[in-house]
């Protein structure tokens, strides 16, 4: 399918070395910073910082301002280096089984506008058509900012190979081996980055959210499924086969309910929305048709619904403890659409975590961040920003003027 988008020469980020990309990323996620502080945080010499910063300032990606509040007793004030967020724009899309959520962000991943539309069909070509329409709408809106859109990120649940840009398997879309990055670039004219949705959300939290400045943390998402994104030594971990962090398939009850993965008692088989609904029905409770009804029942005091949520909280807490015991993260951010019911299982999550976490792992900071689907789309935009900065020599698609 040929692109129907206007084309011009694509823009390349002026980071000629890994050190330059590292410095820019440090300013992006932790700035504004003085050059001295930037050198300390990046672990580089002052000379290396000066060399890397110069072309980034000349090209307008970094700006240097006088920090009049930090004026020393003698001499001139220190200069703060910051990112010019308006220097470039990015698009992020989150695909669910029946909708596409899209955002336009600036270089600092601040959402400028958000849109969503239904997916009438899950077949790849139909999803691509809906994706292209969403991109076209966002690009039209972006024209008003007078700045080029330089990248597109797409977040999809399931097994996603970001390096190859291929969706290996997505249960909600019922896809197998779909080269989504290549197809999306062909229909939009934008260089596309495709990643697992939880990892994309983790990138956004690492650079722009609750994980900024931390080298080791995790994001656990609860809702239709249970996912986990891992940051270890400052890197988002995908693992050799792209499935690192599958906390949803950690067994917490060997005698528990069967999971779609073939095992029993997985966190997801107990704590995901479908498992909670099944538990209420099997216990002889009311015939609940949706998770909203289950939440309403539980808050009204229904014993079966409350028990299902309590059991879910225990499973999540044990799963998080497993992550803490294995990796020792400084913080675990709990998110996902399931947080709408957090009051129903918060105590169980924390008590089960405290009971199962070993030694100092129990000191891990548990934080909750309720995020709507637009934030997952913002996570996709964060992966596009990351690719633009850290892969300046990757093949670039032509972009519209």
């Amino acid at each position: 399918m040929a692109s129907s988008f206007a084309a011009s020469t694509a823009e390349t980020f002026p980071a000629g070395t890994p050190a330059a990309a590292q410095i820019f990323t440090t300013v992006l996620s932790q700035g504004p910073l003085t050059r001295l502080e930037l050198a300390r945080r990046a672990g580089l010499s002052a000379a290396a910082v000066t060399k890397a910063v110069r072309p980034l300032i000349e090209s307008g990606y970094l700006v240097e301002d006088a920090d009049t509040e930090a004026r020393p007793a003698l001499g001139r004030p220190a200069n703060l280096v910051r990112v010019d967020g308006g220097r470039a724009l990015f698009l992020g899309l989150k695909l669910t089984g029946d909708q596409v959520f899209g955002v336009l962000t600036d270089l600092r991943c601040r959402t400028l506008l958000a849109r969503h539309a239904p997916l009438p069909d899950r077949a790849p070509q139909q999803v691509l058509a809906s994706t292209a329409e969403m991109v076209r709408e966002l690009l039209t809106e972006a024209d008003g900012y007078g700045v080029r859109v330089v990248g597109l990120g797409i977040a999809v649940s399931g097994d996603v190979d970001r390096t190859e840009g291929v969706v290996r398997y997505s249960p909600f879309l019922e896809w197998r081996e779909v080269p989504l990055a290549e197809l999306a670039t062909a229909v939009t004219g934008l260089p596309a980055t495709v990643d697992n949705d939880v990892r994309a959300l983790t990138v956004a939290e690492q650079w722009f959210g609750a994980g900024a400045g931390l080298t080791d943390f995790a994001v656990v998402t609860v809702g239709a499924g249970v996912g986990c994104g891992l940051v270890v030594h400052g890197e988002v971990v995908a693992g050799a086969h792209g499935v690192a962090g599958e906390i949803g398939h950690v067994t917490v009850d060997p005698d528990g309910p069967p999971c779609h993965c073939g095992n029993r008692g997985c966190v997801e088989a107990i704590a995901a929305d479908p498992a909670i609904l099944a538990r209420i029905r099997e216990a002889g409770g009311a015939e609940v048709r949706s998770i909203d009804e289950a939440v309403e029942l539980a808050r009204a005091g229904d014993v079966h619904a409350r028990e299902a949520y309590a059991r879910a909280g225990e499973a999540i807490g044990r799963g998080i403890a497993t992550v803490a015991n294995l990796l020792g993260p400084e913080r675990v951010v709990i998110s996902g659409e399931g947080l709408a019911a957090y009051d129903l299982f918060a105590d169980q999550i924390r008590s089960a975590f405290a009971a199962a976490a070993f030694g100092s792992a129990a000191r891990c900071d548990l934080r909750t961040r309720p995020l709507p689907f637009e934030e997952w789309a913002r996570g996709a935009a964060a992966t596009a920003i990351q690719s633009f900065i850290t892969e300046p020599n990757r093949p670039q698609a032509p972009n519209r003027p």
Side-chain angles (χ1 to χ4, degrees), residues 19 22 37 61 71 89 92 95 243 259 279 288 300 375 378 381:
Q22 179 190 2
E37 181 66 13
Y61 284 94
R71 183 184 296 274
L89 301 178
L95 302 180
V243 293
C259 182
R279 178 73 175 178
V288 287
E375 287 294 315
R378 178 174 173 265

Side-chain angles (χ1 to χ4, degrees), residues 1 11 31 41 67 73 82 105 121 129 166 204 232 234 276-277 302 311 314 344:
M1 186 184 301
E11 183 164 347
R41 296 196 188 189
D67 181 11
R82 62 177 173 83
T105 79
D121 194 300
V166 175
V232 179
I276 291 172
L277 293 176
D302 182 272
R311 193 163 178 250
E314 291 173 4
L344 298 172

Side-chain angles (χ1 to χ4, degrees), residues 50-355:
T50 297
K51 181 179 179 181
V53 162
R54 185 179 298 116
L56 294 170
I57 290 177
E58 290 173 350
S59 58
Y61 284 94
L62 291 181
V63 178
E64 198 165 23
D65 301 317
D67 181 11
T68 55
E69 294 182 4
R71 183 184 296 274
L74 297 172
R76 295 180 302 172
N79 287 335
L80 285 175
V81 179
R82 62 177 173 83
V83 171
D84 179 4
R87 178 62 178 78
L89 301 178
F90 295 82
L91 302 184
L93 303 181
K94 155 71 172 171
L95 302 180
T96 71
D98 55 9
Q99 292 192 81
V100 53
F101 294 84
V103 296
L104 172 71
T105 79
D106 67 5
L107 181 55
R108 291 170 59 188
C109 212
R110 295 175 296 192
T111 300
L112 303 176
L113 58 93
R115 298 285 185 269
H116 66 90
L119 284 180
D121 194 300
R122 296 180 182 177
Q125 290 301 321
Q126 295 301 316
V127 172
L128 278 167
S130 298
T131 296
E133 183 57 38
M134 174 69 73
V135 168
R136 186 178 291 106
E137 180 180 342
L138 290 170
L139 286 174
T140 299
E141 296 277 2
D143 283 343
Y145 291 89
V147 180
R148 186 186 301 278
V149 173
V150 298
L152 165 67
I154 305 176
V156 184
S157 68
D159 181 359
V160 181
D161 184 335
R162 173 170 168 169
T163 302
E164 298 296 325
V166 175
V167 179
R168 301 293 180 196
Y169 173 57
S170 180
F172 295 121
L173 288 169
E174 301 173 342
W175 285 3
R176 288 188 183 275
E177 302 299 330
V178 176
L180 184 57
E182 177 185 337
L183 295 172
T185 293
V187 300
T188 67
L190 291 169
T193 300
V194 176
D195 207 346
N196 167 270
D197 55 354
V198 179
R199 282 202 300 272
L201 190 62
T202 303
V203 171
E205 290 300 294
Q206 178 190 23
W207 283 21
F208 308 105
L214 302 182
T215 58
D216 297 88
F217 76 97
V219 175
V220 172
T221 59
V222 182
V226 177
C228 179
L230 302 172
V231 174
V232 179
H233 299 318
E235 299 290 335
V236 177
V237 177
H241 306 290
V243 293
E246 279 293 346
I247 185 179
H249 298 290
V250 170
T251 299
V252 292
D253 181 3
D255 298 320
C259 182
H260 63 82
C261 74
N263 295 315
R264 300 188 71 90
C266 296
V267 175
E268 192 164 295
I270 298 170
D273 289 348
I276 291 172
L277 293 176
R279 178 73 175 178
I280 296 172
R281 293 167 184 152
E282 291 166 5
E287 181 56 36
V288 287
R289 292 164 295 182
S290 70
I291 202 66
D292 290 339
E293 289 184 15
V295 170
E296 188 177 338
L297 269 178
R299 287 183 176 147
D302 182 272
V303 64
H304 301 297
R306 293 191 71 84
E307 188 275 338
Y309 273 104
R311 193 163 178 250
E314 291 173 4
I316 295 166
R318 290 183 185 178
I320 293 174
T322 299
V323 173
N325 291 342
L326 285 173
L327 299 173
E330 183 175 342
R331 178 174 297 155
V332 172
V333 179
I334 307 170
S335 187
E337 67 272 22
L339 279 196
Y342 188 68
D343 58 298
L344 298 172
F345 52 30
D347 290 344
Q348 289 81 4
I349 289 177
R350 293 186 178 275
S351 60
F353 169 77

